[in-house]
Amino acid sequence: MVDPSPLNVEGVPPLKTIRELLEMSQQDFASWLGIAVSTVSRWERGIGTPMFTAGQFKKLMRELSRFGYSLEDLPDDLNHQVS
């Protein structure tokens, strides 16, 4: 298992860390998931809770698995966490 710490960077929203790991802009990430870029922006700013359909979550997990991450490596809370 990969050290999960790269997905839990203190002071950085977890979803932003994940998006940057996937080397996607907010626009790319939004298009890839089929959501509005403003939704991604709001999630990363802590306005609203990230909600994924089962299909979106499966797609995200397939992509993360390419980097050696599993469900267990994700933070329990994807909300904006700035210390």
Side-chain angles (χ1 to χ4, degrees):
M1 178 172 14
V2 174
D3 176 7
S5 60
L7 297 181
N8 293 296
V9 178
E10 188 171 331
V12 179
L15 197 61
K16 181 176 182 177
T17 301
I18 291 167
R19 177 180 60 76
E20 289 177 345
L21 173 73
L22 299 177
E23 298 181 343
M24 292 186 191
S25 66
Q26 284 185 344
Q27 180 65 52
D28 293 338
F29 191 69
S31 294
W32 182 68
L33 289 175
I35 59 177
V37 69
S38 59
T39 300
V40 175
S41 176
R42 283 193 307 272
W43 288 347
E44 290 184 3
R45 289 182 288 134
I47 303 170
T49 301
M51 302 286 277
F52 300 100
T53 65
Q56 290 168 330
F57 191 72
K58 287 178 183 180
K59 188 175 191 177
L60 181 61
M61 290 311 304
R62 277 192 303 269
E63 197 64 22
L64 285 173
S65 73
R66 292 183 41 230
F67 294 90
Y69 292 100
S70 71
L71 179 62
E72 296 301 317
D73 297 316
L74 291 177
D76 290 337
D77 187 354
L78 290 175
N79 281 327
H80 183 79
Q81 299 171 357
V82 174
S83 300

